[in-house]
Amino acid sequence: MKKELAKAYDPKGLEDRIYKNWEEKKYFHAEVDETKKPFTVVIPPPNVTGILHMGHAFDETVQDILVRWKRMQGYNTLWQPGTDHASISTEVRITNELKEEGIDKQALGREKFLERAWAWKEKYGGTIVSQLKKLGSSCDWERERFTMDEGCNRAVTEVFVRLHEKGYIYKGSRIINWCPVCNTSLSDAEVEYEEQQGHLWHIKYPLIEEDGSVSTTRFVEFATTRPETMLGDTAVAVHPEDDRYRDIIGREVLLPIVNRRIPVVADTYVDREFGTGVVKITPAHDPNDFEVGKRHHLPEINIMNDDATINENGGKYAGMERYACRKAIVEELDAMGLLVKIEDYSHNVGTHDRCHTTVEPLIKKQWFVKMDELIKPAIRAVKEGEIRLVPKSAEKRYFNWTDNIRDWCISRQLWWGHRIPAWTCADCGEITVARTAPAVCPKCGGKQLAQDEDVLDTWFSSALWPFETLGWPDDTPDLKYFFPTDVLVTGWDIIFFWVIRMIFSSYEQMGTYPFHTVIFHGLVRDAQGRKMSKSLGNGIDPLEIIGQYGADALRLTLVTGNDMGSDMRFYKERVENSRNFANKIWNASRFIMMNLHEDEDYYNTAMPEGLEPADKWILSRFNSTVREVTENMERYELGIAVQKVYDFIWDEFCDWYIEMVKPRLYGENMETSRRAAMWCLTTVLAGSMKLLHPYMPFITEEIFCTMQSAEESIMISSWPVYRTEWDFAAEERQIEAIKEAVRGIRGIRTNMNVAPSKKVPIVIVSEDKETLDIFTTGRLFFESLAGASSSRCQSDLSGVDENAVSVPLAGATLYIPLAELVDTAAETERLTKELKRLDGELARSEKMLTNEKFLAGAKPEKVEEEREKKKKYEQMHAQVEEQLRRLSGMKQ
RNA sequence: GGGAGCAUAGCUCAGCUGGGAGAGCGUCCGCCUCACACGCGGGAGGUCACGGGUUCGAGCCCCGUUGCGCCCACCA
């Protein structure tokens, strides 16, 4: 039965059909199998309510490439999928949805809210998963997990309790970042600094005289960007060695409006150079001031409610919104004559990375994870190379963070998430941390126990992802076999949120690191290099691209033309090129299959007799490609690897080999030759499809399965390996020489404006027997590829038209009798230019070869190579000179 | 303020350990050559940011300058 591909490449339908088949055949599913080595990757779980964006598409593509490649290499691969509950962002979206319905979250209550959230998760949670499938992701969907499912819940509780037992988790009062809109605390990593235009208000407080009266003449002046916080001032500070203020240290100033007397303290935190060298100290509303306050035992006066309105400590400003209060206070100070001036000032303001609300530093009781001990193994892992970061430059960022680690604030004042397993006794106030709700207070026996209202930071559960998804805290066979995982692929943006936390969590709980390699990739940007964002509306929907060009084209685009570590610009023209490539291989395959006779199937058959030089050349080139692609993939240089396949298929296989072989497919009485060519065509095509499969899984599957019947899927076929018996160096040189001659003839034809349909006779002259032999074997190619009507190879100029145009080749000269068409002046110019180029090359070669240091220092093969080059240049130089002589002869 | 990085063809970018400057897109010329016009063939276009240095030899190594974004910290 003759096999055929559809007439035109159309990814629509084809991709869905193939994916469905893969799923049905359970190729993605992995089971423990002690006879095979595992290769495990865990997906960075996308937000459960998210929709697929280019960042995901890139991330998943890279993972899928690695997983598919390893699977073909014979590993028992598991790509563990799942989604993240994404505490804050999910809660914000549900709250907004409620708001639109006129429902207040607080009025609804926790229980109803969570019901709603779960319903939401059920409704939208599948979207991202189905979108990942469109990309071709070979995840083991049977193992899909969710960071808030029952197993993850147990894991989270277990880890919390264990860390608490070891004293790593504590509840403490600290200045934390507070989002007044989301109404929750934030970790440092969730705060994003934005440059904002603001003002610097210069204010003065009157000094208290020795006799206790308020001075009307002496003031301390300072500047602030947040005047409203003065309500909570409990000191002003100066530098201890600042001569300007030495005399007032220890005295008091009057805090206006509030009329509180507050001390002048000396602290080295103050920068003498900045402003007046005086700082107001508000311990409850600034992290630095908090530290100063601790050192000087200053009271901490909290003046703000959780929604950033002023509380009762603000006196008459109580109830006012923070910015309204700022305005009012400035006006009042101005009226009192205490406002010195207002300057424009641009400074960085901390904002919540989810909602971009300006965060308010507040003192709060929160749960923290003590980091100083936990982080040590995470530092060691990278330092000692047990975990390799790709690219290596990621290490700097990594250590920058680990070296300046601060305790991790893990409590969030939200409802959607893992509730903190801590209970407070209503009678004695004792806090009990336990795996299950205690019946009575272990301290006083009280029966009134209330669970902590807060939930944990989303990243607390994702930090356990590599082992909780494999069954931990149970000691499952999966965990034993698939853990530790191998490679983690993720963007730069979550190196601190997630990667480091997985590393120390895994080491602490499992005693081993969660993976041996982390691959960081850049951001996908728009054509102008801007971040894709909803507000700019410049995002490109991967699904739209898939619909238009196919997932294969999208995947190829994402990994080509950029190294992975850096950001990339994404635009449709690049996808079009990928689609064109898909179309190219589709048509090349179609051509090959068209030429297969009934029941002909060369797949995995022994090399037949009668391979010609071109056949050996393409096999040899394919062989090199296999080696180069594999080497680059081992280095995770996916872009370089696939570029090699691309170049090989398009340039060498399609544009040269297929064209070279065509006459042998149609010719009479050359069955042996035809079969040899067909064997090479199918062998190289099948091999190339394998090399390409991790990158373009769908089209390669379709071609592979249509062409041969021995194997049911390319997914589970074996990765090509380099074979020494396919290494044909001599044939490679031979075909390269012929290609050069073909290009030479074509060039002359174009230059001379010879009609493409016009055939011309050619003669190749060389005194070297070996060279002549090479070109003799190329005679047919000159006819089929360069429009030669006939070709002769000979050792002298006998019978060569005096006025023929000539082309210099390596060790030979090619003559075309086109004298009547020659534009002598133009040809002279061309040859003179060529002569000049050769002069330059010769000079360089000469210089190197007479250089003793080069001869002594360089590798022997380099020197030999240079000698060969010089020889070639000398020959060509002589030929061009000869041509010029002939040309000048023609003129006369 | 600290750190790491980037500056290569009109545009977007490759170029691994130093030894003849590349791709895609665009552009120009010629082709509907029986797999493919989503194609084929042939061109044009670069003092590899600037200035020094090391080297027989530097886009690649070292120092400095300029320009551009990034990460971290954050000064009231």
Side-chain angles (χ1 to χ4, degrees):
Chain A
M1 184 188 69
K2 196 159 162 172
K3 289 151 188 169
E4 261 180 65
L5 281 173
K7 274 234 162 59
Y9 165 64
D10 179 14
K12 282 196 204 78
L14 181 150
E15 294 186 347
D16 287 340
R17 188 191 81 225
I18 290 175
Y19 196 87
K20 205 166 146 235
N21 181 46
W22 285 337
E23 273 196 298
E24 279 166 9
K25 297 263 178 65
K26 290 186 178 292
Y27 293 149
F28 305 156
H29 183 60
E31 289 284 347
V32 172
D33 177 356
E34 296 295 346
T35 66
K36 288 164 88 181
K37 273 177 78 177
F39 180 82
T40 313
V41 173
V42 290
I43 203 169
N47 291 356
V48 66
T49 56
I51 54 162
L52 190 80
H53 57 68
M54 271 307 165
H56 293 126
F58 186 23
D59 198 58
E60 311 313 333
T61 297
V62 171
Q63 290 172 71
D64 198 43
I65 289 167
L66 294 176
V67 167
R68 285 179 183 274
W69 170 52
K70 286 291 175 182
R71 191 181 287 119
M72 289 172 79
Q73 282 193 326
Y75 288 86
N76 187 14
T77 55
L78 167 60
W79 185 7
Q80 171 66 50
T83 49
D84 192 286
H85 65 282
S87 176
I88 286 189
S89 63
T90 305
E91 180 144 339
V92 165
R93 291 182 65 176
I94 296 170
T95 306
N96 287 342
E97 199 183 75
L98 287 170
K99 226 180 258 168
E100 277 166 29
E101 295 171 28
I103 303 170
D104 178 66
K105 177 182 145 187
Q106 296 296 333
L108 186 68
R110 184 169 195 141
E111 207 171 309
K112 290 272 184 224
F113 181 88
L114 285 177
E115 273 175 28
R116 177 97 182 207
W118 278 105
W120 219 66
K121 184 248 165 191
E122 290 310 319
K123 189 172 171 194
Y124 297 110
T127 311
I128 188 97
V129 168
S130 67
Q131 292 174 329
L132 289 177
K133 292 183 179 182
K134 289 273 178 201
L135 271 172
S137 306
S138 60
C139 298
D140 186 351
W141 298 112
E142 291 176 40
R143 293 173 178 269
E144 187 185 337
R145 295 291 299 273
F146 177 52
T147 53
M148 254 169 70
D149 65 22
E150 197 267 332
C152 291
N153 223 329
R154 275 171 58 221
V156 164
T157 305
E158 182 66 28
V159 169
F160 189 94
V161 172
R162 284 192 188 183
L163 290 177
H164 184 261
E165 282 167 353
K166 288 188 79 168
Y168 289 150
I169 283 187
Y170 64 93
K171 195 167 188 184
S173 195
R174 291 263 300 271
I175 283 258
I176 48 92
N177 305 296
W178 183 265
C179 177
V181 169
C182 302
N183 207 43
T184 184
S185 64
L186 307 171
S187 73
D188 290 339
E190 285 165 307
V191 177
E192 209 171 85
Y193 286 89
E194 287 176 8
E195 175 104 1
Q196 284 184 11
Q197 280 303 322
H199 299 285
L200 202 51
W201 285 270
H202 292 254
I203 295 166
K204 56 186 183 180
Y205 293 167
L207 198 67
I208 305 293
E209 296 290 4
E210 312 257 343
D211 63 3
S213 67
V214 177
S215 172
T216 51
T217 53
R218 296 192 66 193
F219 299 89
V220 290
E221 185 190 328
F222 57 86
T224 177
T225 52
R226 293 188 300 156
E228 70 281 8
T229 61
M230 68 159 293
L231 298 170
D233 282 3
T234 54
V236 294
V238 297
H239 194 277
E241 278 143 43
D242 192 332
D243 291 335
R244 291 173 293 179
Y245 303 110
R246 219 180 268 274
D247 62 317
I248 62 165
I249 293 169
R251 289 177 58 178
E252 287 183 318
V253 296
L254 181 74
L255 184 62
I257 301 173
V258 188
N259 288 324
R260 179 162 63 230
R261 295 188 172 200
I262 57 176
V264 178
V265 300
D267 197 287
T268 49
Y269 151 69
V270 180
D271 176 2
R272 276 172 285 181
E273 307 297 317
F274 189 91
T276 58
V278 180
V279 186
K280 67 191 263 306
I281 301 297
T282 322
H285 294 279
D286 182 278
N288 289 310
D289 293 7
F290 181 77
E291 297 299 324
V292 174
K294 278 266 181 281
R295 285 198 284 275
H296 298 275
H297 309 289
L298 299 172
E300 293 152 2
I301 300 176
N302 181 11
I303 59 154
M304 248 180 237
N305 296 312
D306 289 352
D307 60 357
T309 57
I310 305 301
N311 68 14
E312 67 283 1
N313 289 329
K316 63 183 172 192
Y317 291 105
M320 207 177 249
E321 192 274 330
R322 56 179 165 173
Y323 297 121
C325 175
R326 174 178 298 177
K327 195 161 171 266
I329 284 193
V330 169
E331 278 167 13
E332 183 167 358
L333 287 170
D334 194 17
M336 294 167 80
L338 297 173
L339 179 68
V340 181
K341 61 176 171 178
I342 305 174
E343 276 182 304
D344 285 339
Y345 190 63
S346 109
H347 59 142
N348 285 330
V349 176
T351 63
H352 182 194
D353 64 354
R354 293 275 164 213
C355 68
H356 294 275
T357 308
T358 300
V359 301
E360 201 59 48
L362 290 180
I363 291 186
K364 286 272 173 186
K365 271 234 184 266
Q366 299 287 341
W367 291 92
F368 290 91
V369 177
K370 219 160 149 310
M371 289 310 305
D372 49 358
E373 282 303 317
L374 283 171
I375 201 68
K376 283 179 185 166
I379 295 172
R380 208 164 53 232
V382 174
K383 273 215 171 102
E384 292 173 4
E386 291 200 47
I387 295 178
R388 180 181 160 208
L389 306 187
V390 181
K392 205 170 159 49
S393 54
E395 290 182 6
K396 302 262 181 186
R397 294 195 199 194
Y398 185 92
F399 292 129
N400 192 347
W401 173 270
T402 55
D403 292 346
N404 299 298
I405 193 84
R406 297 214 276 171
D407 287 355
W408 176 16
C409 175
I410 50 168
S411 42
R412 295 288 183 278
Q413 289 63 50
L414 301 168
W415 289 340
W416 179 242
H418 296 279
R419 197 158 171 182
I420 292 174
W423 287 263
T424 306
C425 173
D427 296 332
C428 70
E430 174 74 2
I431 295 174
T432 307
V433 169
R435 288 173 180 81
T436 52
V440 293
C441 173
K443 193 177 174 196
C444 72
K447 286 184 176 154
Q448 296 243 315
L449 293 161
Q451 184 171 7
D452 198 299
E453 291 292 323
D454 293 352
V455 299
L456 289 164
D457 180 11
T458 297
W459 301 100
F460 194 92
S461 53
S462 1
L464 319 178
W465 191 242
F467 48 96
E468 68 184 347
T469 50
L470 291 169
W472 195 87
D474 297 331
D475 190 16
T476 63
D478 280 344
L479 192 61
K480 272 200 200 101
Y481 181 74
F482 291 111
F483 189 88
T485 72
D486 291 274
V487 180
L488 181 83
V489 179
T490 188
W492 293 104
D493 47 340
I494 53 176
I495 179 170
F496 309 129
F497 285 112
W498 193 44
V499 179
I500 291 175
R501 286 167 182 170
M502 273 193 288
I503 294 173
F504 70 70
S505 297
S506 176
Y507 192 82
E508 174 67 18
Q509 304 307 328
M510 307 295 294
T512 172
Y513 298 115
F515 29 70
H516 56 72
T517 302
V518 185
I519 299 175
F520 291 102
H521 60 248
L523 234 54
V524 183
R525 296 172 175 275
D526 74 359
Q528 282 84 46
R530 300 171 305 179
K531 257 185 196 173
M532 289 189 186
S533 74
K534 276 181 206 135
S535 52
L536 276 173
N538 62 341
I540 300 173
D541 180 3
L543 295 171
E544 199 182 298
I545 296 289
I546 289 172
Q548 204 173 345
Y549 302 100
D552 284 335
L554 173 62
R555 292 167 60 116
L556 182 64
T557 306
L558 286 169
V559 295
T560 320
N562 241 104
D563 81 10
M564 274 201 296
S566 43
D567 292 356
M568 82 161 64
R569 298 191 190 206
F570 190 96
Y571 43 91
K572 284 197 175 179
E573 287 79 3
R574 292 186 55 214
V575 192
E576 268 172 32
N577 177 247
S578 299
R579 188 271 321 268
N580 293 353
F581 177 61
N583 190 57
K584 185 74 185 175
I585 59 178
W586 182 267
N587 278 294
S589 307
R590 202 157 64 87
F591 171 78
I592 291 167
M593 289 180 222
M594 271 168 45
N595 285 288
L596 277 172
H597 290 184
E598 296 288 317
D599 292 326
E600 239 180 347
D601 189 346
Y602 294 95
Y603 180 74
N604 262 359
T605 57
M607 187 190 292
E609 293 298 308
L611 254 60
E612 298 184 12
D615 303 332
K616 292 183 177 174
W617 164 75
I618 199 68
L619 268 188
S620 199
R621 292 299 310 136
F622 172 69
N623 210 24
S624 302
T625 305
V626 167
R627 194 185 54 223
E628 288 170 358
V629 169
T630 308
E631 280 172 1
N632 278 296
M633 290 186 78
E634 278 161 2
R635 288 202 295 265
Y636 305 108
E637 293 279 9
L638 305 186
I640 296 175
V642 75
Q643 189 70 49
K644 302 257 182 210
V645 188
Y646 179 102
D647 289 342
F648 172 76
I649 292 178
W650 201 318
D651 181 47
E652 301 191 279
F653 188 62
C654 290
D655 289 348
W656 284 102
Y657 184 66
I658 288 182
E659 296 305 324
M660 285 176 152
V661 127
K662 274 179 180 174
R664 292 160 59 190
L665 304 180
Y666 310 132
E668 306 263 315
N669 301 323
M670 48 198 320
E671 185 56 15
T672 306
S673 177
R674 188 192 73 82
R675 295 186 70 89
M678 286 311 300
W679 183 84
C680 283
L681 283 168
T682 52
T683 301
V684 173
L685 178 67
S688 302
M689 290 305 100
K690 287 182 178 184
L691 292 180
L692 195 58
H693 177 256
Y695 300 87
M696 305 180 82
F698 295 112
I699 191 171
T700 50
E701 172 79 333
E702 183 70 2
I703 290 170
F704 184 83
C705 290
T706 311
M707 184 175 66
Q708 57 80 42
S709 47
E711 292 190 54
E712 61 182 26
S713 170
I714 196 169
M715 259 195 79
I716 51 168
S717 71
S718 59
W719 186 253
V721 290
Y722 181 83
R723 312 170 171 217
T724 44
E725 71 269 26
W726 282 6
D727 189 20
F728 298 106
E731 282 79 2
E732 280 204 43
R733 280 196 301 276
Q734 183 178 351
I735 297 296
E736 291 308 328
I738 289 167
K739 281 168 67 180
E740 190 192 8
V742 168
R743 275 193 292 252
I745 300 168
R746 284 171 176 170
I748 288 298
R749 294 180 58 114
T750 303
N751 262 352
M752 300 283 145
N753 270 323
V754 179
S757 53
K758 185 178 162 83
K759 308 283 181 201
V760 294
I762 64 159
V763 181
I764 290 176
V765 177
S766 174
E767 288 171 8
D768 182 57
K769 174 81 169 55
E770 216 174 306
T771 308
L772 218 48
D773 283 347
I774 286 178
F775 288 115
T776 305
T777 63
R779 287 169 59 190
L780 282 171
F781 297 132
F782 302 145
E783 289 165 24
S784 64
L785 303 179
S789 57
S790 67
S791 58
R792 283 185 290 143
C793 297
Q794 54 192 53
S795 58
D796 56 39
L797 283 165
S798 61
V800 176
D801 184 333
E802 270 298 306
N803 299 326
V805 177
S806 54
V807 185
L809 304 172
T813 309
L814 187 142
Y815 295 91
I816 312 177
L818 290 170
E820 72 277 11
L821 297 169
V822 175
D823 174 342
T824 317
E827 187 63 4
T828 307
E829 195 190 321
R830 186 181 71 83
L831 289 170
T832 311
K833 218 167 131 189
E834 175 72 3
L835 203 62
K836 215 169 157 187
R837 187 185 71 87
L838 289 168
D839 278 337
E841 297 287 6
L842 271 171
R844 190 190 51 79
S845 236
E846 180 70 20
K847 207 172 145 193
M848 281 174 78
L849 289 169
T850 52
N851 185 314
E852 282 169 30
K853 288 187 185 172
F854 170 69
L855 294 175
K859 287 181 203 152
E861 58 262 36
K862 286 269 179 198
V863 178
E864 192 44 43
E865 201 183 303
E866 200 53 44
R867 285 213 175 89
E868 298 271 331
K869 276 184 202 167
K870 196 189 162 200
K871 223 164 87 188
K872 185 174 142 190
Y873 292 139
E874 279 170 347
Q875 288 170 347
M876 291 176 74
H877 196 273
Q879 289 152 22
V880 174
E881 279 179 328
E882 168 64 20
Q883 287 164 26
L884 278 168
R885 264 197 300 279
R886 291 166 62 94
L887 216 54
S888 61
M890 274 168 66
K891 263 189 257 176
Q892 290 146 17

